[in-house]
Amino acid sequence: MNTVTTLQVCVVEDEPSIREILGQLLDAEPYMQLTGTFATGEAAMEALPGLAPQVVIMDISLPGLSGIDCVKQLAAQLSDTLFLMYTMHDDDGRVFEALKAGAHGYILKNTPLDDVLRAVRDLANGGAPMSASVARRIIGHFRAPTPAEGVLQVLTPREQSVLELLAKGLLYKEIADRLGLSSNTVSQYVYCIYRKLHVQNRMEAVNKYLGR
């Protein structure tokens, strides 16, 4: 970032104490200017198009309109604004949903404050800052095993999702939480997968999935 340029930053965060801490942090930086703080996505939607900040630090779990939905709508209006997700959630679903919505970075709320500032600077300089656990998830996604040709053709999309998570070693309850299902429903999907693939257990299903 050019030392004579003041970086305009807005914060969208519903927790007052976190909003205050971030505001004080940004105000103390010589070359950053806090141009607005908002407690809801709706308030941000109304004000940000007029402010057009260079960076927006965006929480995900907002009352009403979520941070992800807010980014999705604002990104279409503010092509020069960079969105940094700032959240406690690092599950695959939210990470990839946020990135697809238009987020440019994704850091967790347990990130040290100095690293939050560094993330804002990195974003302004063309980087894509991410917490280590988030980066590992993304790398793991692209390293995920490729299903054997023909195996998924006999399964429904939901059964495919369940089988993919089985192959990653997740327990039924973890699969249920990840897909928003009950453990009993996951068990029913697994039964159908076994029947369709003509296997007797998880190991056989995973081996068939991987073409072994």
Side-chain angles (χ1 to χ4, degrees):
M1 183 174 61
N2 191 309
T3 56
V4 298
T5 300
T6 298
L7 188 65
Q8 296 183 337
V9 184
C10 286
V11 173
V12 185
E13 166 63 58
D14 67 314
E15 179 58 46
S17 61
I18 297 177
R19 197 166 60 244
E20 182 179 358
I21 289 170
L22 290 176
Q24 292 174 350
L25 184 71
L26 294 166
D27 275 338
E29 281 297 292
Y31 302 110
M32 291 186 190
Q33 179 185 5
L34 179 66
T35 56
T37 62
F38 308 95
T40 67
E42 288 82 359
M45 285 291 302
E46 183 176 349
L48 288 178
L51 294 172
Q54 288 148 295
V55 175
V56 174
I57 300 175
M58 177 75 70
D59 186 20
I60 285 181
S61 299
L62 298 170
L65 189 68
S66 75
I68 291 175
D69 288 335
C70 192
V71 168
K72 187 181 298 183
Q73 296 182 45
L74 286 171
Q77 304 176 52
L78 299 170
S79 58
D80 294 329
T81 297
L82 304 170
F83 294 93
L84 177 64
M85 308 311 290
Y86 185 63
T87 176
M88 67 178 67
H89 303 291
D90 69 343
D91 58 282
D92 290 356
R94 286 187 176 91
V95 170
F96 287 103
E97 192 178 353
L99 295 177
K100 286 190 292 184
H104 302 84
Y106 197 111
I107 61 173
L108 301 179
K109 287 186 175 178
N110 59 6
T111 301
L113 292 178
D114 285 346
D115 289 341
V116 173
L117 288 176
R118 188 174 296 110
V120 173
R121 294 190 194 98
D122 287 348
L123 204 61
N125 287 327
M130 294 189 187
S131 294
S133 62
V134 174
R136 283 195 297 270
R137 285 181 178 278
I138 293 173
I139 291 172
H141 174 79
F142 288 105
R143 287 182 176 173
T146 302
E149 185 176 356
V151 169
L152 298 186
Q153 294 178 5
V154 299
L155 304 178
T156 66
R158 180 62 83 182
E159 290 167 351
Q160 293 175 24
S161 298
V162 171
L163 180 54
E164 180 182 350
L165 295 176
L166 282 175
K168 291 182 177 180
L170 272 67
L171 302 175
Y172 284 15
K173 185 180 185 307
E174 293 173 324
I175 294 173
D177 292 342
R178 187 74 62 87
L179 299 179
L181 304 171
S182 68
S183 295
N184 184 58
T185 300
V186 171
S187 298
Q188 294 174 12
Y189 278 123
V190 171
Y191 171 79
C192 292
I193 291 168
Y194 289 176
R195 179 172 54 81
K196 291 181 179 181
L197 297 184
H198 307 289
V199 298
Q200 300 297 319
N201 53 50
R202 176 196 288 252
M203 182 176 293
E204 291 180 3
V206 170
N207 284 340
K208 200 157 191 176
Y209 174 79
L210 299 178
R212 296 171 179 168

